[in-house]
Amino acid sequence: MTKVIAWAVDPFVRVAVYIIELSALFYESLRSLFTIQGRKVVLEATERQILFTGVEALPVMGLMAFILGAVVILQALTQLPKLGAEEAIGTVLVMVIIREVGPLMTALMVVGRSGSAIAIELGNMQVHEEITAIEAMGINTMHFLTAPRIIGVVLSMVCLFLYFDLVALAGGFLVARWTLSIPIGRLLHSFAVGVQFADLIVGIVKCTLNGIAISLICIYQGLEVKGSPTEVPQAATKAIVRSFIVCMVLNIFVTYLFYR
Amino acid sequence: MKEPLLTCRSVAIEKGGKTVLEGIDLDIAQGEIFAMVGGDGTGKSALLLACAGISPPIRGEVRLFGINPFKVGRYKLRSLRSRLGMVFQDGALISNMTIFQNLALPLRYHLGHEGAILERRVKEKMKEFGLEPFRDELPANVPAGMRKMAGVARATILGPELLFCDEPFTWLDRKEEQKLLEVFHRVQAFQGAIVLVMSDMNRASQIADRIGSLEKGTLRLRSG
């Protein structure tokens, strides 16, 4: 009987321990930002993370956003005219892209590109004793390694989300312009009516939470590597899968909180 | 009598869930070169990490400059570690930083050096260790011996009072070995001490003032 209870309870305990450890990592990283030493070094590391996660992702993000915006409009075009709601096309696009697809696609892109890279980089650093060497130099690893990655990922995600929205709306607008007979003024009005400032804020909240979750999970999994190179790809896989699951859950949670 | 730079009392070391070393008592005095010699799996590198205040022992006490590094706050620990130098077996250079950036890191982080002063101090160190041709190379593109020398250069750039070296002579040619010995003598001259981990007893006898042989799970001390 005890074994059955232990078997049933074990996954919940493990999840709880995981969340506590991630929270501790987050707390320690934030706390490290009050360190006076090495601020310039940490700032440079943050800039590098923003460059990799944000700036270098712009072309592929733009392409994806444009295609998605166009696809959403094309799908809407097959249904809305049947309901006589052709002019609501802009509103539909805005709701789908800004509220749900934007934050999720940004998360997906960042997990795939940067999250895996963070886990692999830190895993390899563990294998080659680089992290021990950093500690031996008296450098706070939370300050030098963890905090710049969290800040870099969060800032990049928020900017990527706004960029994604803009390009997706542009893509949708262009497709709508070519395929619909609605005058451009009314089409623009339909878009303008759809865009709510509150939706943008909710999107930014989602991206901030997703960014914190992705960076923490990927850093944690990278640092979990003990010393064997074979652990590195496993850490990367775990980081990607867990990050994406957590992002989905956070998205549902925020959507429920703001739109129920 | 001056307090030893490093003291270990009844230290026990665990490796892979198994106690590999027990009852280690050790004092390292100023100006001393001490070598810990043992075969593979004897726990010598783990003991070195404990002595350097990086991984805590499972039992016993380590004191660096009279302070237990595992019982102090993070700020004191960091300032304590900045008085130490640690040379890893393969250099353990940060792989996404060039050799120059690796050497500059302790100066930038601890002393806030930037610009001309940073450039001058790193250049001096690079010249001393013959690292100038590899200045802008990533560690992966540098020969193993030079990587090791860069590791030594980085470990000594802040002028450590206590230098820990894990297998310091692997991958070094004769000229590089000579350079490393000069570094040791310089640390000694400034009343510092050096703790080496080696697997070659003969080589250790030539270099060290005292040797600790890791046998049957404990440390047996003898003169070098």
Side-chain angles (χ1 to χ4, degrees):
Chain A
M1 185 64 187
T2 321
K3 273 186 184 174
V4 176
I5 293 169
W7 176 80
V9 169
D10 185 54
F12 296 102
V13 173
R14 273 200 257 171
V15 169
V17 169
Y18 191 64
I19 291 169
I20 290 167
E21 284 180 346
L22 289 182
S23 309
L25 185 65
F26 187 52
Y27 170 73
E28 288 293 332
S29 305
L30 288 187
R31 201 179 131 143
S32 75
L33 291 172
F34 294 100
T35 310
I36 298 161
Q37 281 176 316
R39 285 206 169 149
K40 196 150 189 236
V41 179
V42 172
L43 189 67
E44 277 175 21
T46 311
E47 284 168 5
R48 272 200 303 274
Q49 190 63 50
I50 292 172
L51 180 74
F52 175 66
T53 307
V55 180
E56 289 178 7
L58 287 177
V60 68
M61 199 70 179
L63 180 71
M64 208 166 71
F66 192 88
I67 293 169
L68 262 164
V71 164
V72 171
I73 280 293
L74 287 172
Q75 282 292 346
L77 282 174
T78 61
Q79 299 302 323
L80 290 179
K82 290 179 197 166
L83 302 167
E86 210 176 25
E87 289 186 15
I89 202 107
T91 314
V92 168
L93 182 73
V94 166
M95 278 177 65
V96 173
I97 295 292
I98 295 182
R99 285 188 180 182
E100 297 303 329
V101 177
L104 260 182
M105 288 312 290
T106 311
L108 183 66
M109 180 58 77
V110 172
V111 169
R113 267 190 96 253
S114 307
S116 55
I118 288 171
I120 290 168
E121 187 188 18
L122 293 180
N124 278 325
M125 285 178 86
Q126 282 279 43
V127 171
H128 297 115
E129 291 185 301
E130 290 171 36
I131 292 174
T132 313
I134 290 168
E135 278 173 17
M137 281 189 268
I139 294 174
N140 181 357
T141 47
M142 294 293 146
H143 193 212
F144 180 62
L145 294 175
T146 311
R149 282 166 175 79
I150 296 172
I151 298 168
V153 168
V154 171
L155 288 179
S156 301
M157 276 194 75
V158 172
C159 295
L160 281 176
F161 161 71
L162 296 173
Y163 172 76
F164 182 95
D165 286 351
L166 205 69
V167 178
L169 292 182
F173 177 80
L174 285 176
V175 172
R177 179 84 191 93
W178 286 328
T179 49
L180 288 174
S181 51
I182 308 171
I184 192 161
R186 275 164 69 189
L187 190 60
L188 277 172
H189 176 73
S190 160
F191 272 76
V193 166
V195 179
Q196 298 287 320
F197 185 66
D199 289 336
L200 273 177
I201 297 296
V202 173
I204 290 170
V205 169
K206 281 184 178 179
C207 284
T208 306
L209 292 176
N210 285 346
I212 292 169
I214 292 168
S215 51
L216 282 177
I217 291 168
C218 296
I219 290 165
Y220 180 88
Q221 294 306 143
L223 294 177
E224 271 290 283
V225 172
K226 294 290 176 236
S228 164
T230 52
E231 292 173 45
V232 178
Q234 292 168 0
T237 310
K238 270 187 195 169
I240 293 169
V241 173
R242 289 181 184 183
S243 296
F244 201 59
I245 291 170
V246 171
C247 286
M248 299 282 260
V249 173
L250 283 173
N251 254 41
I252 293 167
F253 175 72
V254 176
T255 301
Y256 177 78
L257 209 67
F258 286 93
Y259 298 113
R260 71 190 154 132
Chain B
M1 193 185 146
K2 283 183 181 172
E3 193 168 0
L5 298 184
L6 167 68
T7 313
C8 294
R9 289 287 171 265
S10 310
V11 164
I13 300 290
E14 190 187 59
K15 205 178 164 192
K18 216 175 93 180
T19 305
V20 285
L21 289 170
E22 193 123 36
I24 308 286
D25 290 315
L26 183 66
D27 289 310
I28 305 291
Q30 286 184 337
E32 187 179 17
I33 299 182
F34 178 78
M36 291 191 270
V37 185
D40 289 341
T42 47
K44 53 188 191 300
S45 296
L47 178 58
L48 190 77
L49 290 177
C51 289
I54 295 168
S55 318
I58 50 165
R59 277 187 299 281
E61 188 185 57
V62 174
R63 282 184 173 269
L64 289 160
F65 312 107
I67 300 162
N68 185 335
F70 305 109
K71 284 187 179 164
V72 292
R74 65 191 76 205
Y75 294 109
K76 192 144 194 184
L77 177 63
R78 250 166 258 140
S79 85
L80 192 67
R81 280 180 178 165
S82 65
R83 295 169 70 187
L84 313 173
M86 179 94 192
V87 179
F88 290 82
Q89 198 165 353
D90 66 350
L93 300 172
I94 300 169
S95 46
N96 60 5
M97 287 179 148
T98 63
I99 297 296
F100 181 91
Q101 289 168 334
N102 264 286
L103 265 62
L105 183 61
L107 292 172
R108 297 186 70 201
Y109 195 88
H110 290 294
L111 305 179
H113 282 0
E114 295 292 339
I117 187 169
L118 178 76
E119 183 80 20
R120 183 176 57 77
R121 283 197 65 177
V122 177
K123 259 187 179 170
E124 275 171 14
K125 209 64 177 170
M126 289 179 83
K127 194 175 174 193
E128 183 187 340
F129 286 89
L131 291 163
E132 293 119 313
F134 307 105
R135 183 197 153 101
D136 297 320
E137 296 287 348
L138 291 173
N141 304 328
V142 174
M146 278 291 132
R147 267 206 309 271
K148 185 80 164 223
M149 293 312 271
V152 178
R154 187 181 65 182
T156 54
I157 204 158
L158 291 176
E161 294 163 61
L162 196 49
L163 184 64
F164 296 91
C165 303
D166 193 354
E167 297 288 358
F169 297 102
T170 39
W171 300 323
L172 299 189
D173 60 27
R174 193 153 284 196
K175 205 174 140 196
E176 289 161 353
E177 272 191 34
Q178 202 52 45
K179 176 60 69 189
L180 193 55
L181 288 174
E182 281 172 26
V183 171
F184 290 169
H185 293 140
R186 209 170 308 141
V187 173
Q188 263 187 313
F190 283 99
Q191 294 301 298
I194 296 133
V195 181
L196 308 172
V197 154
M198 297 176 76
S199 39
D200 183 348
M201 181 61 89
N202 292 333
R203 193 82 182 93
S205 316
Q206 291 164 8
I207 297 158
D209 302 318
R210 265 193 318 150
I211 292 172
S213 173
L214 294 167
E215 294 165 25
K216 295 176 185 163
T218 193
L219 186 76
R220 288 167 205 276
L221 299 173
R222 56 167 117 159
S223 295

